[in-house]
Amino acid sequence: MSISMDIIVQTILGLPSHDELVKLCDNHFIEQFKINRCGTSHYVYRLPRCSNTSTPLALIKFGGKVTLGKAHTQAYVFHLLKHDSNSPFKVPEVYNAWEECSEGYIVMKYVPSQEVTVADISCIVDTVQWLLMLPPPKDGRLGPVRGGVMHHSLWQYDEGPIMQDLLQHHS
């Protein structure tokens, strides 16, 4: 089975332009920062005419650590999940992704979140096992699909190791 790593840019009826989405994300970050003393990196887009009651149209993940590599990886896992009816979890479909002015944006299908409890531990174990069994992408790289640096608070300075560094360390 050949799985695409490409993001198929989709036109979603009612979704504004890149520029408008960037403005909305920036304003949302500032509003959240004023309220909570910390910003947020997710924005739920709803159609403007009834923005508090309408069904969310999309979720936009944004920020300096949001990369095209993350978008390609999410698209890759989404396409694998589409072909596996036994998958223990869902991944939102990526509608679009771009980087601009050192910020990344991933526009994806909105999937309501669920609170995770201790009762969910078996599902979490199943999810991790499923992820560990994924076939590598065509390029076979460690990290984001199509390469790049892994960003996560797990690593010092929020950047994971690069494959070349790992190979040099073990040789």
Side-chain angles (χ1 to χ4, degrees):
M1 164 178 43
S2 176
I3 300 296
S4 172
M5 296 183 289
D6 293 329
I7 297 167
I8 310 295
V9 177
Q10 299 182 43
T11 302
I12 305 300
L13 189 62
L15 201 59
S17 69
H18 285 190
D19 291 343
E20 186 62 28
L21 287 173
V22 169
K23 287 178 191 172
L24 289 168
C25 289
D26 287 348
N27 290 339
H28 180 69
F29 181 87
I30 291 167
E31 287 173 23
Q32 291 300 307
F33 189 81
K34 287 178 182 176
I35 295 168
N36 303 317
R37 286 295 192 226
C38 66
T40 180
S41 61
H42 294 82
Y43 175 69
V44 177
Y45 180 79
R46 300 171 192 272
L47 292 174
R49 62 179 166 254
C50 48
S51 60
N52 288 331
T53 59
S54 66
T55 302
L57 189 58
L59 178 101
I60 298 96
K61 184 176 180 177
F62 63 94
K65 294 182 182 170
V66 176
T67 64
L68 289 178
K70 285 184 178 184
H72 286 291
T73 301
Q74 182 173 328
Y76 178 71
V77 174
F78 171 81
H79 288 292
L80 286 170
L81 284 168
K82 271 183 28 177
H83 301 300
D84 184 351
S85 60
N86 296 321
S87 115
F89 64 103
K90 294 179 183 177
V91 169
E93 181 176 10
V94 175
Y95 295 147
N96 200 347
W98 70 93
E99 292 177 347
E100 149 180 336
C101 300
S102 72
E103 297 278 316
Y105 299 84
I106 302 173
V107 181
M108 63 189 83
K109 180 178 181 178
Y110 176 81
V111 175
S113 62
Q114 297 175 329
E115 188 172 328
V116 178
T117 67
V118 175
D120 298 315
I121 194 73
S122 65
C123 184
I124 293 167
V125 168
D126 291 345
T127 298
V128 171
Q129 288 175 336
W130 189 92
L131 288 168
L132 289 171
M133 298 304 294
L134 285 180
K138 290 177 189 172
D139 64 12
R141 294 181 186 196
L142 174 66
V145 171
R146 292 200 173 166
V149 176
M150 296 179 278
H151 291 278
H152 196 280
S153 58
L154 176 67
W155 296 287
Q156 185 177 15
Y157 309 116
D158 295 334
E159 289 191 0
I162 298 172
M163 187 62 156
Q164 292 85 347
D165 294 343
L166 291 173
L167 293 173
Q168 287 175 353
H169 179 73
H170 290 289
S171 55

